[in-house]
Amino acid sequence: MAATDDLEKIRRQFDYGPYPRVAIDKTPKDDPNVLFVHDLVTPFYVRDHRVPQTKGKRILDAGCGTGYKSLVLAIANPGAEIVGIDLSPESVKLAAERLKFHHFDNVYFEVRSILDLPSWGEQFDYINCDEVLYLLPDPVEGLNALKSVLKPDGILRSNLHSALQRFPFFRAQNLFKLMGLMDENPEEMEMDIVRDIMKELKDGVDLKARTWNPHYEQQESNETLLANHLLVADKGSTIPQLFQYLEAAGLEFISMVNWRHWNLVDLFKDPENLPTFLALSLPDVPQSVQLEMYELLHPVHRLLDFWCSPQPRATVADLGEWSEAQWDQSTVHLHPQLCTEAIKEKWLGYLNDRMIVDLGTFMSFSSPTPVYVDPLGLATLLPLFDHPLAFPDLCDRYQCLAPLDPVTLEPIEPRVARQQLQALLTRLELSLFVLVSLP
């Protein structure tokens, strides 16, 4: 009964304040970072080291809210069918209006609880369940429900609130529960009371210092208050709990969505000169433990944002460990979210000006540090805007563009050209600017 009551309170809260409140005419089509996350090519490549086609794929946006992420999914995955569900009828109505406004026809919405999915009888290649799992009464029940409509080779993206990073807001929620402000669904009166209390607290009071901004005193901040200080059913989890939930649901962890921002060694002054104990032991430390260590040291991520699947990640060696035979069988792609006319035009401009370019200029999400490419690299990769190339063909192009050794001025040897191109692709693949797939 308590779980049912919680779901009803959640439904009422999001009927009252549909989320997210994004203008209906806003489009993410020029934001490669958000499209990179929601392009199913990204997690499928991370798991399988292959590049799938998006056409014909079925994608479920579970907890679609007002449909902005559904719009992102539709733009990021050309030719895919998008199905959105949400507990809130008002949110579903707004989502349908949004996708119609942007002229997407292969998108469907309906009012449905995630916990009702096992009886639905549908199957999806990819599920996006964003900002929902931490509101459900039992995250494992939620994961099991989502798994029931996921194809055996499908991928699920979901997230949990971090118990460590989010702790001040949980304190605020407990305070306002104690005051009776969350007995029913918080609305205008409750938000005004929160504003009055937080505004009049001394600036040095810890809760105010950690959770408040003067901007929240304005009416325009209603969405922020409802999503933080007064969020019904909000819960936090730790990294160990995340892995416990996945194990209980029979799901395999693939990666954190923002995996490059969870690198433990990046927290040290000199990653190449770690303390002796860590340098010796870290290579044998499981990924789950490294993630836990990161969060204990530096809990800056609000979301424990992850990809998981019924099947484990493929055991493919890093590119730096590939044999020459593997390289010769491989195909090189630009990430689809780099393959736009706007980025190609900028790329050509930098190439004409003989500039060294940070590829983060085009798409920064996957790389916390600059990734520089010289004009030779830009010119070599240019044909990938039109289609992928087999590695030997790309190697031939590289050798044509760099015909002379800069020291001896003799023609560059094919062996050296291969090594240089392999080093470039290995560096760029780390941030998924390029994708190198095997048959």
Side-chain angles (χ1 to χ4, degrees):
M1 180 64 71
T4 302
D5 291 343
D6 283 346
L7 289 175
E8 178 58 21
K9 288 181 74 173
I10 293 167
R11 183 197 64 75
R12 292 204 307 268
Q13 178 160 358
F14 287 103
D15 269 347
Y16 171 76
Y19 180 89
R21 296 187 185 182
V22 177
I24 195 169
D25 61 346
K26 181 178 178 180
T27 174
K29 67 180 181 65
D30 296 320
D31 187 348
N33 283 316
V34 71
L35 296 173
F36 172 88
V37 169
H38 293 280
D39 187 336
L40 63 80
V41 166
T42 304
F44 275 86
Y45 179 82
V46 170
R47 189 190 68 182
D48 303 332
H49 223 81
R50 290 183 171 83
V51 181
Q53 295 295 317
T54 61
K55 186 176 181 179
K57 293 291 192 292
R58 300 194 75 219
I59 299 174
L60 174 65
D61 191 12
C64 63
T66 61
Y68 186 69
K69 291 294 174 63
S70 304
L71 176 62
V72 175
L73 288 163
I75 293 173
N77 298 282
E81 176 189 14
I82 314 295
V83 179
I85 65 167
D86 200 276
L87 199 62
S88 161
E90 185 62 28
S91 297
V92 166
K93 176 184 174 184
L94 293 171
E97 291 175 359
R98 184 185 305 278
L99 273 292
K100 182 178 180 181
F101 178 88
H102 289 277
H103 308 293
F104 282 96
D105 298 325
N106 203 24
V107 181
Y108 309 92
F109 294 98
E110 67 175 81
V111 178
R112 183 181 291 273
S113 168
I114 287 172
L115 299 184
D116 293 336
L117 290 178
S119 62
W120 197 15
E122 296 284 350
Q123 289 278 283
F124 296 91
D125 299 281
Y126 184 74
I127 298 176
N128 180 66
C129 183
D130 196 10
E131 308 269 10
V132 176
L133 197 59
Y134 54 76
L135 297 176
L136 298 180
D138 178 1
V140 175
E141 184 183 8
L143 288 170
N144 276 321
L146 293 162
K147 180 184 175 184
S148 72
V149 294
L150 185 65
K151 292 182 180 179
D153 62 346
I155 289 179
L156 163 65
R157 180 262 178 128
S158 192
N159 36 57
L160 297 156
H161 264 153
S162 165
L164 298 183
Q165 192 277 342
R166 184 93 168 147
F167 183 67
F169 287 104
F170 297 136
R171 286 166 48 201
Q173 292 164 14
N174 286 334
L175 171 68
F176 298 127
K177 286 176 185 175
L178 192 64
M179 295 179 178
L181 300 183
M182 298 176 70
D183 289 348
E184 300 297 331
N185 270 70
E187 296 189 359
E188 202 69 43
M189 182 184 75
E190 288 81 4
M191 286 186 276
D192 286 342
I193 293 172
V194 169
R195 288 191 180 94
D196 289 343
I197 292 171
M198 299 301 291
K199 180 179 178 181
E200 296 304 324
L201 284 172
K202 292 180 179 179
D203 289 340
V205 173
D206 186 78
L207 187 67
K208 184 173 184 178
R210 292 176 181 270
T211 71
W212 199 249
N213 185 305
H215 169 70
Y216 298 166
E217 294 163 17
Q218 308 302 316
Q219 292 294 322
E220 293 77 14
S221 68
N222 281 357
E223 182 179 40
T224 301
L225 295 187
L226 289 175
N228 292 288
H229 301 76
L230 294 170
L231 181 56
V232 172
D234 195 8
K235 291 178 289 296
S237 299
T238 63
I239 290 290
Q241 286 175 317
L242 163 59
F243 280 85
Q244 290 166 11
Y245 300 154
L246 292 178
E247 182 178 6
L251 290 165
E252 299 281 346
F253 178 77
I254 297 174
S255 169
M256 302 305 277
V257 171
N258 54 339
W259 73 96
R260 290 297 305 281
H261 300 265
W262 281 87
N263 190 356
L264 183 60
V265 300
D266 287 346
L267 299 180
F268 291 86
K269 294 177 182 178
D270 184 0
E272 300 298 324
N273 188 27
L274 294 175
T276 303
F277 176 80
L278 281 178
L280 293 174
S281 61
L282 209 52
D284 298 320
V285 174
Q287 185 180 25
S288 60
V289 177
Q290 291 197 35
L291 292 171
E292 182 181 4
M293 291 172 67
Y294 186 104
E295 191 173 41
L296 290 170
L297 284 167
H298 195 48
V300 295
H301 301 299
R302 176 179 69 87
L303 289 175
L304 308 181
D305 201 1
F306 60 92
W307 286 305
C308 63
S309 171
Q311 67 182 44
R313 187 167 175 168
T315 53
V316 177
D318 293 337
L319 296 192
E321 301 172 5
W322 276 18
S323 67
E324 292 303 320
Q326 285 176 302
W327 278 106
D328 283 337
Q329 295 169 10
S330 68
T331 302
V332 184
H333 315 245
L334 274 184
H335 192 283
Q337 297 311 322
L338 286 178
C339 290
T340 69
E341 287 302 317
I343 290 178
K344 183 178 182 180
E345 185 177 346
K346 291 180 182 178
W347 192 292
L348 287 169
Y350 293 134
L351 184 55
N352 288 332
D353 293 338
R354 302 293 191 270
M355 292 178 62
I356 295 176
V357 179
D358 170 19
L359 291 192
T361 302
F362 307 121
M363 189 173 70
S364 61
F365 178 86
S366 61
S367 180
T369 56
V371 179
Y372 293 108
V373 179
D374 62 17
L376 171 59
L378 294 176
T380 301
L381 300 176
L382 186 61
L384 301 182
F385 277 97
D386 299 321
H387 52 77
L389 282 176
F391 172 77
D393 294 336
L394 199 64
C395 202
D396 290 344
R397 177 176 174 82
Y398 182 90
Q399 190 166 7
C400 289
L401 291 166
L404 299 180
D405 185 297
V407 176
T408 66
L409 299 183
E410 297 293 325
I412 190 171
E413 297 180 14
R415 174 184 58 84
V416 174
R418 284 177 66 91
Q419 292 173 347
Q420 291 178 355
L421 181 57
Q422 287 168 359
L424 173 65
L425 296 176
T426 299
R427 188 164 57 86
L428 300 187
E429 194 264 354
L430 187 63
S431 300
L432 302 196
F433 292 123
V434 299
L435 311 175
V436 187
S437 64
L438 290 170

